[in-house]
Amino acid sequence: MNPKDMTGLQIMQAAAAGHLPIAPIAKTIPMQVKLAEEGRVVFEATADESVHGGFAATVMDSVTGCSAHTTLAAGEGYGTIELNVKMCKPVPFNKTLIAEGKVINKTRRLIISEGYLRDESGSLYAYATATNMILS
C-alpha cells in the first residue's frame, strides 16, 4: 500500500512492524517505534556519550508528533508549532529508555499531546507538551 493512501495510524503501525523505513532522525538519534495505537506511541531510544539536552528534546518532539500522527486521516500531515520540554534529570549513556507520547486534545486544526522519557523502572528523565497543526 502507498503511504499516501494510508492513515497516520497505519503508517505508524507499518513503521513499528518494519514495513516502512524509519525517519532519518532515528538513525542520528537511535529511536525505534515499539507500539502505535490511536493517540499513543511508545518508542525505545538510546543516547550515546555525546548526549545533551537536544537528545531529550528530539525524542520528545518525535513521540508527541507521532502520537498526533496516529489520529490523522490519509493524506493529512502535521507540523509542530510549539514544543515545551522539561528536563528532569541527566539522560544516561548507552541505556535504552522508553519514550511515550499521548494525544490529550484534538480539534479540527490542532492536536495537543504530551510525552514522557523514562527508564524501565519508571524514573522520569524528561516531560514535554506539544501543539501540532494539522496540514491538509
Side-chain angles (χ1 to χ4, degrees):
M1 182 179 245
N2 183 336
K4 291 182 181 181
D5 299 324
M6 299 168 74
T7 66
L9 179 57
Q10 290 171 325
I11 289 170
M12 291 306 305
Q13 288 175 333
H19 301 305
L20 286 177
I22 60 173
I25 192 63
K27 293 176 186 172
T28 304
I29 294 185
M31 291 183 276
Q32 183 178 18
V33 183
K34 300 309 270 183
L35 172 76
E37 56 190 29
E38 181 81 19
R40 181 174 173 256
V41 297
V42 176
F43 285 21
E44 286 183 348
T46 307
D48 64 17
E49 288 81 10
S50 65
V51 70
H52 62 81
F55 171 84
T58 300
V59 173
M60 292 294 88
D61 188 37
S62 297
V63 296
T64 56
C66 288
S67 68
H69 196 181
T70 66
T71 69
L72 299 179
E76 288 184 320
Y78 71 92
T80 302
I81 60 173
E82 183 267 338
L83 177 68
N84 185 343
V85 180
K86 302 287 188 217
M87 312 297 186
C88 301
K89 63 181 169 180
V91 172
F93 302 141
N94 301 315
K95 181 176 182 177
T96 300
L97 299 175
I98 301 152
E100 180 178 4
K102 295 180 186 178
V103 170
I104 57 175
N105 192 57
K106 181 179 179 185
T107 67
R108 228 173 25 89
R109 300 297 301 153
L110 299 175
I111 303 170
I112 300 170
S113 55
E114 62 184 0
Y116 306 88
L117 183 63
R118 296 184 168 113
D119 63 20
E120 70 282 346
S121 70
S123 186
L124 186 64
Y125 290 85
Y127 171 78
T129 57
T131 304
N132 290 279
M133 180 177 286
I134 299 170
L135 308 171
S136 305

